[in-house]
Amino acid sequence: DNVAGASLAVQHLAEQGHRTIAFLTPSGWTFSRAEKREGFLQAVEKAGLKGVVIAGSTASHYADEEMAELGQSLAAPLVQHADRPTAAVAINDMMAIGLMAGLREQGLELPRDMSVVGMDGIPLGAYTAPPLTTIRLPLPDLAPTMVDRIMLRLKDPGTAPDEFRFSSALLQRQSVAPPPSR
């Protein structure tokens, strides 16, 4: 449930005291990106926060290396934004990792000056500096269900498709802190 996952990220940041939060994404839309954006916008509105969407483009919109580079390139527009956010939610962990590098290049200390949350829960996030707080996808639940559905469709191609929604979980690490006092 990408909508609920993005909402969970916003709720966590709001609980830390953040009032202006950015959502970083590639400009090209996929179904999951649209759901994450929707969840972000709904959550900031519900909480009475200010949400800022910052989008950038990449060549393919999918490659991890490009996502990290895009995150890094969006650090300057984030820091220079008129309503400078104190926290950011990146559409995936690779973008968040690149963003963290870009924010350090801008002279910010994480999470003191800016908090960052990713979405995926990739293992690499545990090894960043600081370790990345993320919305972990429920892959242990998701994968067997996907395999079961594929096998069922292979046995009986006429099987009607089903929709499954799996809940994500917040994986708290050290990339989030209360906002700096201004």
Side-chain angles (χ1 to χ4, degrees), residues 3-134:
V3 172
S7 179
L8 187 59
V10 170
Q11 289 170 350
H12 178 60
L13 292 167
E15 289 168 359
Q16 294 295 312
H18 295 278
R19 296 293 167 250
T20 303
I21 303 170
F23 181 76
L24 278 72
T25 180
S27 56
W29 292 107
T30 63
F31 183 71
S32 66
R33 289 180 194 161
E35 284 185 331
K36 289 175 183 180
R37 183 176 184 264
E38 177 185 337
F40 171 82
L41 293 173
Q42 287 176 5
V44 294
E45 181 178 344
K46 181 179 178 182
L49 307 175
K50 183 163 194 134
V52 174
V53 176
I54 300 176
S57 62
T58 64
S60 74
H61 303 289
Y62 299 105
D64 281 347
E65 180 181 330
E66 288 181 355
M67 287 295 142
E69 290 172 358
L70 180 58
Q72 185 177 18
S73 74
L74 293 178
L78 174 63
V79 170
Q80 296 164 5
H81 196 278
D83 296 314
R84 183 173 166 192
T86 58
V89 177
I91 200 135
N92 63 36
D93 286 351
M94 288 305 295
M95 182 176 278
I97 291 167
L99 174 64
M100 290 168 60
L103 291 170
R104 284 189 296 274
E105 290 169 359
Q106 294 291 314
L108 274 64
E109 184 179 322
L110 305 172
R112 184 192 73 194
D113 300 322
M114 177 82 64
S115 290
V116 176
V117 176
M119 296 186 73
D120 284 338
I122 63 171
L124 181 61
Y127 303 104
T128 61
L132 179 64
T133 295
T134 187

